[in-house]
Amino acid sequence: MSWGCAQPTAPQTAPAPRFYTDKSYGSEAEFNPLTEILNEGFDITQTNGQDRHVFRRNYTVGAANVWRSVWHADETYRFYGYRRALVNEWLPLTAPNNNGGGAWVPNYEYHLVGSGMVFVRMKEWYEQHGIPHPELLSFATMMTAHYTNEVLENGLSKLPNEDATTDLLIFDMGGMAIWRIGAVQRFFSGPVELTNWPGQPSIDVNSGTLQNAAQQFVLRASLPHSQRWKVFYDFGMSSLLGLSYKRASGDALSLAVGTDAVDNPVVDPRTGAKGATLAFKAGMFYDRNGSLLASVQAGSRSDNAVFNVNVYPGVVRLGGLRPGLWIQVPRTGGIRFGVASRWGFGLGHGPEH
């Protein structure tokens, strides 16, 4: 006889993580909120002419101008021109790099797709570390990184900043909203793989500059009739296209060539719109199950590294430690090197430029 007692319900299990699985090796071992803010927030410091003296930079002007531009978005877009914003930034309707055209490319790649994925990855990091309100904290972490990036890119300009307004209000917010959709997460964690491979930011002990901060995203898709070969696309400040060969063990070697945004000069003095100066770049990457173990990249930057090697935790052992290591060769000569802790940041030494 039933007395109408409620049947016990099975406990709800959290969905399996798709983009962060707490690997103890490679770039994923260094993924955390601090390194995310440093790598994405200071990513622009890779370009020529950027002041990497992060402790003495003037952040006040940029922070105020970006906030004012976003808060008064209508005024910002009227200053820049709604039609120009539509064709240059919002929709893929322009290709030339002059006068701000083609700015939609990093908006879609970097902000909508790449950083949208990292929003989910960061949420999974908070979940797996047992921290309450993981989605809210992920949102706060990502917006801190995005805002920092826009402040640095703004510099000392006091013109209405349409680029920052578009990034923060449309593509960053839009990316986090879209990536909450399960179908999007499933698509980019199956035969199509998306992750991020960051740098290993380090403070130079002599100059106090921040070196080797970087945020790149990696997209791989299986080739037809092949279990091993994949199309490889590395994007962010660089855009490299190539092939990736994955062994049954999960180790993969990728080779790619393309272009690197070595500078972002002002191309329209009236509005302050910026373009990108592109130069040739090539890279070789070795990863295990999507976590980067080592990379070698050669580019054409004039006052930053033209040759860059990163070795991540799990490759080199120093006693009981498994640090991250990096070496850069600036165009001006000499060698810059650094050691990163298990938290993904560390100390460096070498020429300032």
Side-chain angles (χ1 to χ4, degrees):
M1 179 180 294
S2 173
W3 297 96
C5 296
Q7 296 295 316
T9 58
Q12 295 291 323
T13 57
R18 296 181 179 276
F19 301 98
Y20 178 80
T21 54
D22 198 18
K23 296 181 179 70
S24 61
Y25 55 84
S27 57
E28 185 164 308
E30 298 182 340
F31 180 79
N32 58 67
L34 179 58
T35 55
E36 168 57 23
I37 291 171
L38 290 174
N39 281 304
E40 187 154 330
F42 291 85
D43 185 45
I44 192 67
T45 59
Q46 298 179 82
T47 57
N48 295 333
Q50 276 284 334
D51 184 1
R52 289 179 282 279
H53 292 90
V54 293
F55 296 112
R56 70 186 196 197
R57 282 192 64 151
N58 184 337
Y59 297 93
T60 305
V61 173
N65 195 57
V66 170
W67 179 261
R68 181 168 53 249
S69 299
V70 171
W71 188 254
H72 300 284
D74 178 62
E75 178 182 326
T76 299
Y77 285 124
R78 281 191 282 110
F79 174 79
Y80 182 79
Y82 272 98
R83 184 185 180 281
R84 286 185 65 197
L86 178 69
V87 300
N88 288 347
E89 298 261 7
W90 301 350
L91 298 177
L93 298 176
T94 54
N97 195 32
N98 62 313
N99 206 29
W104 57 268
V105 176
N107 290 347
Y108 281 88
E109 287 189 345
Y110 195 140
H111 297 273
L112 191 72
V113 176
S115 289
M117 177 275 299
V118 179
F119 164 69
V120 179
R121 195 175 197 210
M122 184 57 63
K123 179 177 74 73
E124 293 176 349
W125 186 95
Y126 282 116
E127 287 174 341
Q128 292 177 51
H129 286 80
I131 301 175
H133 312 295
E135 192 166 55
L136 179 61
L137 286 175
S138 177
F139 174 83
T141 302
M142 297 306 297
M143 291 309 294
T144 300
H146 292 316
Y147 189 70
T148 302
N149 176 75
E150 300 301 339
V151 169
L152 291 173
E153 192 170 355
N154 181 95
L156 299 178
S157 173
K158 296 183 180 180
L159 294 172
N161 192 327
E162 177 273 338
D163 179 67
T165 302
T166 296
D167 290 346
L168 292 169
L169 284 186
I170 298 177
F171 287 94
D172 291 333
M173 292 290 191
M176 287 185 282
I178 290 172
W179 276 85
R180 296 184 77 249
I181 301 173
V184 174
Q185 297 181 28
R186 289 191 295 273
F187 178 80
F188 285 104
S189 59
V192 176
E193 306 168 12
L194 181 64
T195 190
N196 70 305
W197 286 349
Q200 300 183 97
S202 303
I203 295 295
D204 187 281
V205 294
N206 284 338
S207 64
T209 54
L210 179 67
Q211 305 288 351
N212 201 37
Q215 176 76 297
Q216 287 291 121
F217 307 99
V218 175
L219 183 70
R220 285 190 283 205
S222 300
L223 289 171
H225 312 297
S226 176
Q227 298 295 319
R228 297 282 180 257
W229 290 97
K230 298 188 177 191
V231 174
F232 175 90
Y233 182 48
D234 175 87
F235 61 98
M237 294 294 289
S238 305
S239 295
L240 307 179
L241 183 64
L243 289 173
S244 182
Y245 180 79
K246 186 174 184 179
R247 302 174 61 187
S249 63
D251 289 12
L253 180 67
S254 305
L255 300 173
V257 297
T259 59
D260 193 15
V262 298
D263 203 352
N264 62 332
V266 174
V267 294
D268 182 0
R270 186 190 74 83
T271 63
K274 295 182 178 181
T277 302
L278 304 179
F280 176 79
K281 187 174 184 179
M284 179 172 63
F285 309 87
Y286 179 61
D287 73 276
R288 179 171 298 149
N289 299 315
S291 186
L292 184 61
L293 293 175
S295 67
V296 179
Q297 300 180 68
S300 302
R301 291 191 170 104
S302 62
D303 70 347
N304 203 339
V306 297
F307 188 74
N308 196 348
V309 177
N310 275 275
V311 178
Y312 293 83
V315 178
V316 176
R317 288 183 178 271
L318 297 175
L321 302 177
R322 297 192 303 169
L325 306 171
W326 58 269
I327 299 174
Q328 296 178 344
V329 179
R331 184 175 293 280
T332 52
I335 294 178
R336 184 188 301 133
F337 61 92
V339 179
S341 69
R342 61 183 294 270
W343 286 99
F345 59 90
L347 298 176
H349 177 73
E352 183 176 327
H353 296 291

